[in-house]
Amino acid sequence: MKEDQPSVTAQRVAMRRAAHQLFDDPKVFDDPVALRIIGRESASGLQADPRQFETTPLASYLRAFVAARSRYAEDELSLGVRRSVGQYVILGAGFDTFAFRNPYPEGLLRVFEVDHPATQTWKRQRLEEIGIGLPDDLTFAPIDFETQTLEEGLRNAGYAPDKAAFFSWLGVTEYLTTEVVMATLRFIASATAGSGVVFDYMISPSLLSPSQRSRLDAFSQQVALAGEPWQAFFDPEVLMKDLRAMGFGCVEDKGPEEINAMYFKNRKDGLRVGSLSHLMKAQV
Ligand SMILES: C[S@@+](CC[C@H](N)C(=O)[O-])C[C@H]1O[C@@H](n2cnc3c(N)ncnc32)[C@H](O)[C@@H]1O
């Protein structure tokens, strides 16, 4: 990210989630706050021209993936809450809206939004502008992953290390260095039993076909131009091995075939995810 500037990509993915609400039927991820959170001007622009992102063949893959990863994280969160999870830590939250539509009874699930301070300030201003109040169960934990540890950020925010927590980390790992991603995952692996994480990550270019590689290059140029270049890429097999070595018990990787089978089966519109990213679940 550009120093002291909020994440441009946070708004971009929020726009895609909002677009998903407007024209994908059935919805994979139902988010009644998605349109409001993008801001009044963007919301009316999107309503006037819901297909404004459909400018490249990549657009529908991206929208599908953004919807699927949030759905998967919140499905896994609900399984966690049924077990023992009482804390939900949203890493690199951007314009995620879970905290403002938290379906659990008050006091059951504390929500921590961890994000770069500049993005968090932008989100708080946006919430004020659109008239969404801060729920009592929500705590903001501003950190820069590259210079501060998650442990430090959560400690300052009142996270309870003796209670199980579920972490989601969506659309963020690629913007960090591999070392920071691994250190953060090691911290999560040390959380109380019953804790878990869902995150997505980009596939190592060396594992891609030439056509996938050229799609990756095109997309990676766009984010680099926005000042948020991709840095971390992973090999699924190696990553799963590393997660097990950190102490995670159950580790599950979901590639495009599995994600499409889970969420995009039998659709008339052909919406589906592409092949550049995977989803990973790991439980303590
Ligand atoms: C593409 S957005 C994803 C936002 C959100 N998770 C979503 O899916 O809508 C990337 C997020 O990562 C955060 N991020 C990127 N680099 C960061 C860093 N070094 N420290 C903290 N947050 C960072 C940005 O502030 C932004 O919120």
Side-chain angles (χ1 to χ4, degrees), residues 19 25 52 76 81 92 126 213 215 233:
D25 183 21
Q52 62 178 257
E76 288 298 322
V81 171
R126 172 73 53 76
R213 183 91 186 244
R215 266 186 275 146
F233 299 86

Side-chain angles (χ1 to χ4, degrees), residues 38-50:
I38 62 176
R40 289 201 183 93
E41 208 176 304
S42 299
S44 44
L46 194 61
Q47 276 168 317
D49 176 13

Side-chain angles (χ1 to χ4, degrees), residues 1 7 9-10 13 17 69 92-94 115-116 119 143-146 170-172 175-176:
M1 284 177 62
S7 164
T9 60
V13 293
R17 256 191 317 268
R69 72 187 184 196
D115 207 343
H116 192 283
T119 310
I143 71 162
D144 180 341
F145 285 112
E146 297 291 349
L170 308 177
V172 189
Y175 297 103
L176 306 174

